[in-house]
């Protein structure tokens, strides 16, 4: 789903750039309410994990592969505003360092892969939680469905942008049919990865999962024939693992996926690449501005061994992404602390 330079014309790319910039500005403000000293480190890790898993293309049809988009996963784990920032950080790192996704198309990619997937998935997720039993299992089920829907939604969004600003004369009906069809299949893989990841984190630290907050039902007792809420427990149930352990486990998992498992990923073109080639959308694809990067195409320059080159690039990508993401989210958290500092509270009260 990474749109290269040349697929969408300059005016539409500029408009989506403004939309993306506005959404990021809104998300920076909204993330202040979602992040605290416990969840800010998790947000940086989520960005790195999405980067790593996006390197794992899985086969979905004859000659076609897919990979995680990550909007649903990020929104459910750390919140929709922070989720937009997580995916945007990943897209920026991929575009600048790895020549994956055009730089002039960065607004298109953020709008499609960060904003659309996050907004659609979180709306579906919350809608399902409103009708499902208030249990942890419901979070996993809702995560699966939300992620499943988010991928074809992104395909629809790309088709609409192409209908307005496509640089080649291709039938929009054919583009829509091909894009939505293949991305429904990719959505199944997205749903499985998202549900498994969310379920794993909920199992050990549900208090850190944004989408699982407030799901624990208060125990109700029958007193004199009437149901009443039982008193809240004196102390919360102990977490099954520490935040540090969870963070280190997630980081090691990301490094292993990007540095080793990625070598065995499908080499087939992903859904957009396949559709673009088959329908002729890619006729005016431009040369990537970062094609000279030493990490372009997920390999390290001057390292001849393909496995070592790809593995090193993946490890570097995870490291850079976790540092960049963590820096952004710690800055947002510190801004929140400044906004609610005793001095500001006192001045407001006065």
């Amino acid at each position: 789903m990474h749109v290269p330079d040349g697929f969408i014309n300059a005016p539409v790319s500029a408009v989506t750039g403004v939309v993306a910039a506005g959404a990021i500005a809104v998300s920076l403000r909204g993330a202040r309410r979602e992040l605290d000293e416990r969840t800010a480190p998790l947000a940086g890790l989520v960005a790195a994990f999405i980067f790593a898993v996006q390197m794992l293309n899985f086969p979905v049809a004859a000659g076609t592969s897919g990979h995680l988009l990550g909007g649903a996963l990020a929104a459910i784990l750390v919140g929709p505003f922070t989720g937009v920032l997580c995916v945007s950080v990943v897209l920026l790192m991929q575009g600048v360092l790895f020549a994956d996704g055009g730089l002039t198309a960065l607004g298109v990619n953020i709008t499609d892969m960060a904003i659309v997937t996050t907004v659609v998935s979180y709306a579906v997720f919350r809608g399902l939680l409103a009708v499902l039993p208030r249990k942890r299992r419901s979070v996993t089920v809702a995560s699966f469905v939300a992620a499943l829907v988010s991928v074809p939604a992104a395909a629809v969004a790309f088709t609409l942008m192409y209908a307005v600003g496509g640089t080649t004369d291709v039938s929009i009906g054919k583009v829509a049919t091909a894009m939505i069809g293949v991305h429904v299949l990719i959505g199944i893989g997205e749903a499985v990865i998202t549900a498994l990841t969310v379920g794993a984190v909920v199992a050990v630290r549900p208090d850190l999962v944004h989408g699982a907050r407030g799901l624990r039902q208060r125990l109700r007792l029958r007193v004199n024939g009437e149901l009443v809420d039982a008193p809240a427990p004196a102390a919360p149930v102990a977490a099954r693992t520490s935040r540090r352990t969870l963070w280190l486990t997630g980081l090691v998992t990301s490094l292993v996926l990007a540095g080793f498992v990625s070598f065995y990923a499908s080499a087939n073109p992903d859904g957009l690449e396949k559709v673009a080639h088959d329908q002729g959308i890619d006729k005016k694809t431009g040369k990537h501005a970062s094609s000279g990067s030493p990490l372009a195409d997920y390999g390290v320059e001057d390292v001849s061994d393909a496995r070592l080159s790809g593995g090193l690039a993946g490890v570097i990508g995870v490291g850079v992404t976790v540092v960049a993401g963590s820096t952004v989210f710690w800055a947002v958290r510190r801004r929140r602390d400044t906004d609610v500092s005793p001095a500001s509270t006192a001045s407001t009260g006065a």
Side-chain angles (χ1 to χ4, degrees):
M1 191 64 77
H2 293 77
V3 180
D5 296 321
F7 276 27
I8 306 296
N9 64 25
V12 173
S13 295
V15 170
T16 56
V18 172
V19 171
I24 290 174
V26 171
S27 296
L28 285 169
R29 293 184 63 87
R32 296 181 200 173
R33 300 190 298 271
E34 295 173 344
L35 296 173
D36 55 30
E37 70 280 356
R38 301 179 310 136
T39 56
L42 179 62
L45 177 62
V46 168
F49 182 77
I50 290 173
F51 176 92
V53 180
Q54 283 195 2
M55 294 183 66
L56 309 180
N57 281 47
F58 48 85
V60 295
T64 310
S65 69
H67 62 70
L68 182 81
L69 298 187
L73 177 62
I76 294 165
L77 287 179
V78 293
F81 293 108
T82 308
V84 169
L85 299 178
C86 281
V87 182
S88 297
V89 168
V90 173
L91 293 172
L92 182 61
M93 296 299 103
Q94 290 170 332
V96 172
L97 298 178
F98 297 91
D100 188 9
L103 295 185
T104 62
L106 185 60
V108 173
N109 284 317
I110 290 177
T111 300
D112 197 26
M113 295 179 64
I115 301 171
V116 171
T117 59
T118 301
V119 171
V120 170
S121 63
Y122 198 70
V124 172
F125 177 78
R126 280 300 173 192
L128 289 173
L129 285 188
V131 298
L132 291 173
R134 297 173 64 82
K135 298 179 179 179
R136 293 180 184 176
R137 184 176 300 176
S138 297
V139 176
T140 304
V141 173
S143 300
F144 183 94
V145 178
L148 178 65
V149 173
S150 70
V151 179
V156 171
F158 169 80
T159 303
L160 293 175
M161 287 186 279
Y162 190 82
V164 177
T167 57
T168 55
D169 186 15
V170 179
S171 168
I172 298 304
K174 291 182 178 180
V175 174
T177 300
M179 283 292 292
I180 297 171
V182 72
H183 284 91
V184 166
L185 299 177
I186 295 173
I188 297 174
E190 178 103 9
V192 171
I193 295 170
T194 300
L196 289 175
T197 305
V198 171
V201 180
V202 166
V204 295
R205 288 302 300 259
D207 59 308
L208 298 181
V209 178
H210 185 275
R213 293 177 181 175
L215 279 185
R216 183 183 295 276
Q217 275 188 310
R218 180 70 62 83
L219 177 65
R220 308 199 76 191
L221 303 176
R222 186 173 296 276
V223 179
N224 297 326
E226 296 183 359
L227 288 175
V228 298
D229 289 337
V237 179
R240 294 177 60 180
T241 188
S242 68
R243 294 199 307 271
R244 178 177 296 181
T245 300
L246 176 65
W247 194 90
L248 289 174
T249 300
L251 180 60
V252 170
T253 301
S254 300
L255 291 171
V256 171
L257 292 175
F260 177 73
V261 180
S262 62
F263 181 78
Y264 302 97
S266 173
N268 291 330
D270 66 23
L272 176 59
E273 292 173 329
K274 178 67 173 176
V275 172
H277 177 74
D278 291 347
Q279 302 298 328
I281 296 175
D282 58 357
K283 292 179 181 179
K284 296 186 178 181
T285 303
K287 182 180 179 181
H288 201 288
S290 296
S291 59
S293 167
L295 298 173
D297 298 322
Y298 296 94
V300 177
E301 189 177 23
D302 297 330
V303 176
S304 57
D305 184 272
R307 178 175 295 187
L308 178 61
S309 178
L312 286 174
V315 169
I316 293 170
V318 168
V320 171
T321 304
V322 75
V323 170
S326 297
T327 300
V328 170
F329 300 126
W330 274 110
V332 171
R333 186 191 71 82
R334 287 178 64 85
R335 180 64 180 271
R336 165 184 168 162
D337 291 347
T338 301
D339 290 344
V340 298
S341 64
S344 63
T345 303
S347 62
T348 301

